[in-house]
Amino acid sequence: MLTLLAAATILSGCQTILDQSYQADVKPSASPQIVDEVQKNDPRAQMGAREHPRIVASYGGEYHDAKTERLVARITGALTAVSENPNQSYRITILNSPAINAFALPGGYLYVTRGLLALANDAAEVAAVLSHEMAHVTANHGIERQKREEAEVIASRVVAEVLSSDLAGKQALARGKLRLAAFSRQQELQADVIGVRMLGEAGYDPYAAARFLDSMAAYARYSSVDPETDQSLDFLSSHPNAPQRVELARQHARAFGQEGTVGDRGRDYYLTGIDGLLYGDSPDEGYVRNDTFLHAGLGIRFDVPEGFRIDNKVEAVLATGPDETAIRFDGVEADEAQDLKNYLTSGWVAGLLPETVRDTTVNGLSAATARATAERWDFDVTVVRDGKKIFRFLTAVPKGSTSLQSTADTLRNSFRRMTPQEITQLKPLRVRVVTVGSVDNMTTLAARMMGTDRKLDLFKLINALPAGATLSAGQRVKIISE
């Protein structure tokens, strides 16, 4: 975590420092001004401190890279100097998540994911996101949201009691969290106004806010993510992104001058700061490579059918395909002596058809399969034992669909242990900043992309290249590679 004090406080002491003559015995202050001390009696900061560990844990922990941390600190410091409350201190944490997200908690706790940093193309775009979140802090929007969340928790408990189901209560609470993750429309628009003003006053390109909103909309189209149903709680689902909002951001920016003529984008130092940034899945959660999921730590891999999209979530690997076909994969610890047929019928699968349970093998590993049915869905359930682990595949199709067998067969036939060589060769993907050569073009550079079968589309997306754009020699661009 990076810790930043209000820049105005730091700057106010510059004149005194300059007037002093050099002292050879200079040493650290016995009572340094640190964020913990500044926020000690701030109830808002205490609220943020309570939530901080939960936020970090749910987003894969903190992401540590000195170069990237200095970059984000530089941007946050510039914004703090023009904040509506220059006495507000901020703690900025980079989260180790590929999700596109940034948010704030009361008391000046700011968060940005490495996924958002990978999508952004200059410092001004990140500044636009952070200034928006800082505006929520200075306007005390988080306090108002906390009150609504407390009411939602009470409502969810009532639901749980009425339905006599702990799961139903948890689902109700999850839906409530999705609704409450977003600030109100008026709060979002207020944060937009404040954020764009901060951008311009800090010397950044004020049009970066509108530009990055466009990039996030392009990301949503590329990912085929429905913001209303996406459970990742990322920026796209918690921040409204209507075209009118983009235009309003441009209108606010015009107060500083004509687009392209005002403010610094900070592109060059930004690209230097994110060169080598971890991209996509972290090693602890396994990797997605086109239609394949690989996990070096577990030593397993499997394929999904062509045309499916894999989402590697913290709790499970999910895949969606044509005609509402869906796959869920996870693993649980189990006694090596436990019979797999008995495990299948132990009650964790609703609607299981006992007559379909049978033993089998999957590439030399003990396994069992069964069918299940519920409402309008048919399921194939496959469990595979590997040592003390039981891996579970759940394939769901609409009732009557003919794709259940073929989809489940693809999973079973491809699931296997990885070879030592495969494990050694598997490396994480990173953002690499390269310079366009005299013979390079989009096609040649996109060919160097890894981890996707839509190389040109992803290359254009992460570099915010519109249709008809061309590259010029000497230009710096991002690619994704090992």
Side-chain angles (χ1 to χ4, degrees):
M1 178 195 293
L2 305 174
T3 302
L4 296 175
L5 284 175
T9 305
I10 298 169
L11 292 173
S12 65
C14 287
Q15 186 62 45
T16 305
I17 294 171
L18 290 173
D19 288 345
Q20 290 177 342
S21 59
Y22 174 71
Q23 299 291 329
D25 60 348
V26 171
K27 56 186 178 183
S29 168
S31 56
Q33 188 179 28
I34 59 174
V35 171
D36 284 335
E37 188 64 27
V38 172
Q39 295 183 336
K40 185 168 60 176
N41 298 315
D42 183 354
R44 296 180 179 85
Q46 292 166 11
M47 185 184 297
R50 287 196 305 270
E51 292 296 309
H52 176 75
R54 181 184 64 82
I55 293 292
V56 171
S58 62
Y59 276 86
E62 297 182 27
Y63 179 75
H64 292 294
D65 177 89
K67 182 168 51 125
T68 306
E69 289 176 288
R70 284 195 298 271
L71 169 69
V72 175
R74 174 178 178 176
I75 296 169
T76 309
L79 294 171
T80 304
V82 296
S83 167
E84 295 213 330
N85 180 8
N87 293 320
Q88 172 71 60
S89 57
Y90 290 94
R91 295 165 175 253
I92 176 76
T93 301
I94 304 175
L95 297 169
N96 188 22
S97 169
I100 312 294
N101 204 357
F103 47 91
L105 293 179
Y109 284 78
L110 296 178
Y111 304 87
V112 61
T113 60
R114 59 175 171 80
L116 188 145
L117 298 178
L119 181 63
N121 273 282
D122 54 50
E125 290 182 355
V126 174
V129 173
L130 291 178
S131 64
H132 176 98
E133 299 305 329
M134 291 167 78
H136 283 309
V137 173
T138 56
N140 285 331
H141 291 163
I143 302 296
E144 298 169 35
R145 185 169 67 180
Q146 182 77 10
K147 293 175 182 176
R148 288 189 290 140
E149 287 192 355
E150 289 169 358
E152 189 72 32
V153 169
I154 294 171
S156 71
R157 287 175 184 159
V158 173
V159 171
E161 290 170 7
V162 170
L163 298 180
S164 300
S165 167
D166 185 48
L167 177 61
K170 288 178 179 177
Q171 289 174 338
L173 181 57
R175 287 193 297 272
K177 288 290 185 184
L178 276 168
R179 290 195 299 272
L180 294 165
F183 291 104
S184 72
R185 177 175 175 78
Q186 183 171 349
Q187 288 173 334
E188 290 291 357
L189 293 176
Q190 182 184 2
D192 282 346
V193 175
I194 298 171
V196 171
R197 181 196 61 74
M198 288 173 64
L199 262 186
E201 292 187 1
Y204 287 114
D205 174 10
Y207 292 87
R211 196 166 64 245
F212 195 57
L213 284 171
D214 283 338
S215 285
M216 286 190 289
Y219 173 84
R221 292 191 296 271
Y222 171 84
S223 309
S224 299
V225 171
D226 179 357
E228 297 301 317
T229 60
D230 179 25
Q231 296 182 5
S232 65
L233 291 177
D234 64 13
F235 198 93
L236 296 168
S237 61
S238 61
H239 290 70
N241 190 25
Q244 307 95 288
R245 188 167 171 230
V246 178
E247 182 51 38
L248 281 172
R250 287 199 173 93
Q251 286 181 20
H252 298 319
R254 289 186 191 115
F256 292 91
Q258 187 176 349
E259 187 168 6
T261 65
V262 290
D264 176 34
R265 289 195 174 189
R267 177 174 169 80
D268 197 52
Y269 73 79
Y270 182 78
L271 291 179
T272 299
I274 65 166
D275 189 17
L277 180 75
L278 184 65
Y279 182 84
D281 304 315
S282 68
D284 292 339
E285 295 173 8
Y287 302 109
V288 176
R289 297 289 189 268
N290 302 331
D291 297 330
T292 303
F293 175 77
L294 310 98
H295 199 300
L298 298 174
I300 55 97
R301 59 174 290 165
F302 64 86
D303 302 329
V304 299
E306 186 178 352
F308 276 63
R309 176 193 168 210
I310 303 176
D311 285 327
N312 187 14
K313 307 289 188 183
V314 173
E315 70 281 3
V317 178
L318 309 176
T320 52
D323 303 320
E324 297 185 275
T325 304
I327 297 164
R328 177 189 170 96
F329 169 81
D330 64 11
V332 294
E333 297 287 342
D335 185 345
E336 290 186 66
Q338 183 169 13
D339 181 79
L340 290 180
K341 288 172 66 175
N342 290 340
Y343 176 72
L344 268 180
T345 57
S346 62
W348 62 277
V349 181
L352 190 77
L353 303 174
E355 68 275 13
T356 65
V357 178
R358 65 184 181 88
D359 285 318
T360 186
T361 59
V362 171
N363 285 314
L365 299 170
S366 298
T369 67
R371 292 291 173 91
T373 184
E375 297 184 3
R376 66 183 192 93
W377 299 96
D378 289 330
F379 302 93
D380 180 280
V381 187
T382 298
V383 293
V384 184
R385 184 197 306 285
D386 185 8
K388 293 183 179 180
K389 279 278 189 183
I390 291 181
F391 295 106
R392 311 186 297 189
F393 287 102
L394 183 69
T395 304
V397 300
K399 274 192 182 300
S401 171
T402 59
S403 62
L404 181 59
Q405 185 70 43
S406 61
T407 303
D409 283 346
T410 297
L411 299 171
R412 282 191 289 264
N413 294 338
S414 64
F415 181 86
R416 64 173 175 83
R417 290 192 181 108
M418 295 176 64
T419 67
Q421 184 179 10
E422 286 176 324
I423 293 174
T424 301
Q425 292 176 345
L426 188 60
K427 297 176 182 177
L429 297 177
R430 298 187 180 275
V431 175
R432 302 295 184 188
V433 177
V434 299
T435 302
V436 178
S438 58
V439 296
D440 282 326
N441 55 43
M442 283 197 206
T443 304
T444 61
L445 288 166
R448 298 167 60 181
M449 298 276 288
M450 299 177 65
T452 177
D453 55 358
R454 299 163 60 190
K455 296 185 176 186
L456 184 58
D457 289 342
L458 184 57
F459 176 77
K460 290 180 178 178
L461 174 68
I462 63 172
N463 289 290
L465 297 169
T470 58
L471 301 177
S472 55
Q475 183 178 347
R476 300 175 80 197
V477 294
K478 296 180 286 183
I479 64 169
I480 306 302
S481 66
E482 290 180 345

